[in-house]
Amino acid sequence: MLSSVVVEPQVTPTASVIWLHGLGANGHDFEAILPELKLPEDAAIRFIFPHSPSISVTINGGMVMPAWYDIFEMGAGRKLNTEQLLDSAKSVSMLVDHEIASGIPSEKVLLAGFSQGGAVAYQVALTYPKPLAGLLALSTYFPTAPEIEVSNANKQLDIELMHGSYDPVVLPSMGKEALSALEGLGFTPNWREYPMEHQVCYPQINDISQLLQAKLLN
């Protein structure tokens, strides 16, 4: 089981969000956003922010850092260690299993991921064998699209793509390619673009809050 930052609600949780960080960050990265979501005090949502393992990352000179998988080359034609991505996806799927075993219905488990974490979240959410609440893909791309086998349970999954117009790390074109790939797989994802770089912004945080409340508190 991945080590995680777990933030419990003030009431008994009835829903869970598993939120994956990007390259070089850790589970605390998005923990700081929670107060900015301004959720109701009685929002019964457990937030889980897993820590990725630390591995050697080729594009950073082989430096060991938190990463869900190794990246060999940057750019629009990004090359990466797919086997490591799939291993990370299996580890995150175990977190979903754990939430369901703890009493959270699968339909109330939502996956979110930023950048590298989003690539893993795509793989987990689309292949998980039970229906999930949704997928929030933040400033990310979909490297396993060509070979993914979508589970029958999640062929109607609600997917939100959020991307910065000026993102120099994961180019907006890579996000749009993910959008097209999802549409090719039969999904009807929603695309939102914000005037920002490789980050999050307050209008986006407000949109995330509304999305979480609509999907998990109703």
Side-chain angles (χ1 to χ4, degrees):
M1 187 77 71
L2 289 167
S3 174
S4 304
V5 177
V6 180
V7 180
E8 296 284 359
Q10 296 182 20
V11 296
T12 302
T14 58
S16 298
V17 174
I18 300 174
W19 198 323
L20 309 183
H21 63 76
L23 175 66
N26 60 38
H28 293 288
D29 197 30
F30 283 98
E31 181 187 10
I33 281 181
L34 292 187
E36 306 302 329
L37 291 173
K38 296 181 169 58
L39 296 172
E41 287 189 7
D42 61 349
I45 304 174
R46 173 187 292 130
F47 285 88
I48 300 157
F49 303 99
H51 302 296
S52 76
S54 289
I55 60 173
S56 173
V57 177
T58 302
I59 57 165
N60 289 333
M63 185 182 301
V64 174
M65 62 180 60
W68 297 107
Y69 51 85
D70 189 15
I71 299 176
F72 305 131
E73 290 182 16
M74 291 290 283
R78 194 155 304 190
K79 294 183 180 179
L80 52 92
N81 189 319
T82 303
E83 185 176 340
Q84 288 176 339
L85 188 158
L86 296 177
D87 284 344
S88 288
K90 290 176 184 176
S91 296
V92 175
S93 292
M94 290 175 61
L95 291 177
V96 181
D97 294 342
H98 183 266
E99 289 308 291
I100 295 170
S102 76
I104 304 296
S106 70
E107 296 89 350
K108 290 294 183 179
V109 178
L110 185 142
L111 279 161
F114 178 81
S115 195
Q116 223 195 29
V120 175
Y122 270 129
Q123 181 67 24
V124 177
L126 300 189
T127 61
Y128 197 74
K130 295 179 181 179
L132 300 174
L135 169 63
L136 184 55
L138 309 174
S139 302
T140 190
Y141 59 111
F142 187 9
T144 56
E147 58 272 345
I148 198 166
E149 295 184 12
V150 179
S151 75
N152 289 330
N154 283 299
K155 286 188 173 178
Q156 306 298 320
L157 186 70
D158 286 339
I159 306 174
E160 289 278 336
L161 286 74
M162 297 181 171
H163 217 102
S165 304
Y166 311 115
D167 192 333
V169 179
V170 179
L171 303 177
S173 61
M174 297 172 71
K176 290 286 184 67
E177 287 172 5
L179 176 67
S180 296
L182 290 166
E183 290 171 341
L185 290 168
F187 293 97
T188 54
N190 187 42
W191 172 266
R192 304 190 202 209
E193 201 164 316
Y194 303 86
M196 63 180 184
E197 295 191 355
H198 196 59
Q199 61 194 108
V200 293
C201 63
Y202 280 109
Q204 177 190 19
I205 291 170
N206 183 61
D207 289 342
I208 292 173
S209 176
Q210 292 183 18
L211 183 149
L212 295 181
Q213 293 183 61
K215 294 297 300 178
L216 301 180
L217 298 184
N218 292 331

